[in-house]
Amino acid sequence: MPKPGYFCSVRKRCFRTNRLLRSVVLLLLFGGVLAAQSLHSVGNIFKPLATPAELVSELSILTIAICATIFAIVAGLMAYAVIRFGYREGDSRSEPPQVYGSNQVEIAWTVIPILIVFVLTMSTARVTSAIQDRQIPKDALNVTVIGHQWWWEFRYPDLKIVTANELHVPVSSMAQPRVTSLTLRSADVAHGFWVPQLAGKTDVIPNRTNKMWIDPRELGTYLGNCSEFCGMEHARMELRVIVESDEDFAKWVARQQQPAATPELTENRQAFLASPCIACHTVSGTRALGKMGPDLTHLMGRQTLAAMEVPNTAENLRDWIKDPQKLKPGNKMPAVKISDAQLDRMVAYLASLQ
Ligand code: CUA
């Protein structure tokens, strides 16, 4: 019989139950956290849904297959040697016979790795050029992506749209291929644009323009992340690509091209325009013309806030404005000193910006 407060396994190992219970609870909690995170985690590169991602995924499978074969051979031979030639009771303790210089073996372990590296280099070069040299069709949608610490700006120069953190693009199909051409720039430091299910990572570098393209084949929301360490909030520099049917995309474009809602000078609008927020944010058709932060003209048309997985609700918006450093410590938006009543009016105005 185990002592009270102890739990004993069949092999007669006993643990204090409270310690055991604590471990189980911790394990469950940890598992829960992992499960919750997988909802928002970076998408799977092995489930590509656009041509560039597909090419990258095929190359990754080839690379993994080659590396796994090498691992299996080396580990297998090692395990065999350890088991077959390990020390046994009664073996002599003297030094085993030493073998020096075998031309065959040396040629084999020089030539084979060279061949492997050659195959990997050539297949990588083939995929890289297949993606980079692709002719961008004339009817491609052009988007300029600008990386900021720590959010994404998306500009559609031909459509005169500016938005943030959520990139809307039309879906592509065999019958009707729709390519989106992305021009990548940075406003400050190096970032990396990465939506794993759509394409490989591309660096976003200050004073340099990089290009990439995507042709998403399925409707839906694709999660992405900044893939280059860019400072304190690098991990909270998320992005979404929202892939829509031609009709829905056209509707989105039409809505984005509208000037801001509530053109009349209401008390709520007045509260916003009197705040220091307008130094950093733009609301088209008003005197808010700041360029440092995201364009707010159609703020409520976005699903999330602060380039994070925070639902864009009036309540979250209020918390975000009240204390931006609480939600996303280190971000460039300062808390503005305003009364609660003023904050309510400002939030009411912003929440009306559909
Ligand atoms: Cu931007 Cu990391």
Side-chain angles (χ1 to χ4, degrees):
M1 259 309 273
K3 279 193 274 176
Y6 278 78
F7 166 83
C8 292
S9 72
V10 269
R11 301 175 86 183
K12 299 264 164 31
R13 289 198 57 196
C14 299
F15 311 90
R16 266 198 188 161
T17 18
N18 57 355
R19 203 178 276 177
L20 188 77
L21 208 73
R22 211 187 308 152
S23 313
V24 170
V25 168
L26 274 178
L27 208 73
L28 284 176
L29 270 179
F30 186 62
V33 167
L34 279 185
Q37 273 180 346
S38 72
L39 257 182
H40 309 306
S41 66
V42 169
N44 188 346
I45 68 157
F46 297 111
K47 284 184 189 157
L49 287 169
T51 313
E54 206 168 62
L55 294 168
V56 170
S57 176
E58 281 165 11
L59 180 64
S60 312
I61 290 169
L62 174 75
T63 310
I64 290 169
I66 291 177
C67 294
T69 312
I70 298 171
F71 175 80
I73 293 173
V74 173
L77 286 175
M78 240 163 73
Y80 174 74
V82 167
I83 294 162
R84 175 76 178 74
F85 303 109
Y87 176 77
R88 282 194 182 77
E89 208 72 40
D91 278 0
S92 110
R93 286 276 187 188
S94 61
E95 201 178 13
Q98 302 294 298
V99 180
Y100 294 102
S102 157
N103 283 343
Q104 282 107 316
V105 172
E106 282 181 22
I107 287 172
W109 71 41
T110 308
V111 172
I112 295 173
I114 288 176
L115 286 178
I116 293 170
V117 170
F118 183 75
V119 167
L120 288 177
T121 309
M122 293 318 273
S123 17
T124 306
R126 195 180 59 87
V127 167
T128 309
S129 64
I131 296 172
Q132 282 189 348
D133 299 347
R134 155 95 185 240
Q135 274 286 314
I136 302 294
K138 284 211 172 60
D139 65 346
L141 171 69
N142 291 308
V143 183
T144 305
V145 176
I146 304 168
H148 293 258
Q149 277 177 319
W150 291 275
W151 59 282
W152 298 97
E153 181 176 349
F154 299 121
R155 295 181 160 263
Y156 297 67
D158 310 325
L159 303 172
K160 308 264 178 293
I161 291 173
V162 182
T163 184
N165 305 325
E166 288 171 20
L167 174 66
H168 286 248
V169 300
V171 70
S172 182
S173 64
M174 283 293 231
Q176 207 183 3
R178 295 291 304 265
V179 171
T180 301
S181 165
L182 304 173
T183 303
L184 309 174
R185 297 212 180 95
S186 167
D188 36 49
V189 300
H191 302 274
F193 185 91
W194 191 31
V195 185
Q197 286 185 284
L198 298 184
K201 301 170 181 175
T202 307
D203 281 348
V204 180
I205 302 169
N207 302 318
R208 196 196 146 99
T209 301
N210 277 345
K211 291 260 187 190
M212 64 186 285
W213 58 274
I214 50 173
D215 59 346
R217 278 194 302 262
E218 267 182 34
L219 302 174
T221 301
Y222 297 72
L223 298 183
N225 250 96
C226 179
S227 59
E228 183 81 41
F229 182 70
C230 55
M232 191 159 167
E233 287 298 346
H234 157 69
R236 292 199 185 102
M237 187 168 165
E238 296 173 18
L239 72 124
R240 296 175 155 228
V241 178
I242 295 151
V243 178
E244 294 167 313
S245 65
D246 270 345
E247 276 164 39
D248 287 346
F249 180 69
K251 271 190 218 157
W252 179 81
V253 168
R255 202 163 49 240
Q256 294 293 311
Q257 286 173 334
Q258 299 285 319
T262 51
E264 71 281 7
L265 204 58
T266 58
E267 214 184 14
N268 297 341
R269 189 181 194 219
Q270 190 62 34
F272 173 72
L273 292 177
S275 75
C277 307
I278 63 170
C280 296
H281 295 281
T282 292
V283 175
S284 76
T286 72
R287 61 191 170 86
L289 294 168
K291 292 274 179 276
M292 286 272 289
D295 187 299
L296 303 178
T297 311
H298 297 284
L299 172 66
M300 296 320 276
R302 306 204 274 263
Q303 302 171 359
T304 58
L305 270 182
M308 291 167 64
E309 297 300 313
V310 177
N312 186 11
T313 61
E315 200 181 326
N316 287 340
L317 184 61
R318 192 180 192 283
D319 291 343
W320 168 232
I321 300 170
K322 195 175 166 67
D323 189 1
Q325 300 304 315
K326 194 170 144 199
L327 190 64
K328 194 168 175 177
N331 88 80
K332 306 266 162 107
M333 182 155 112
V336 287
K337 287 207 167 45
I338 45 172
S339 69
D340 272 3
Q342 233 177 331
L343 179 62
D344 287 338
R345 267 185 233 124
M346 234 167 72
V347 171
Y349 172 67
L350 291 173
S352 75
L353 299 176
Q354 291 297 330

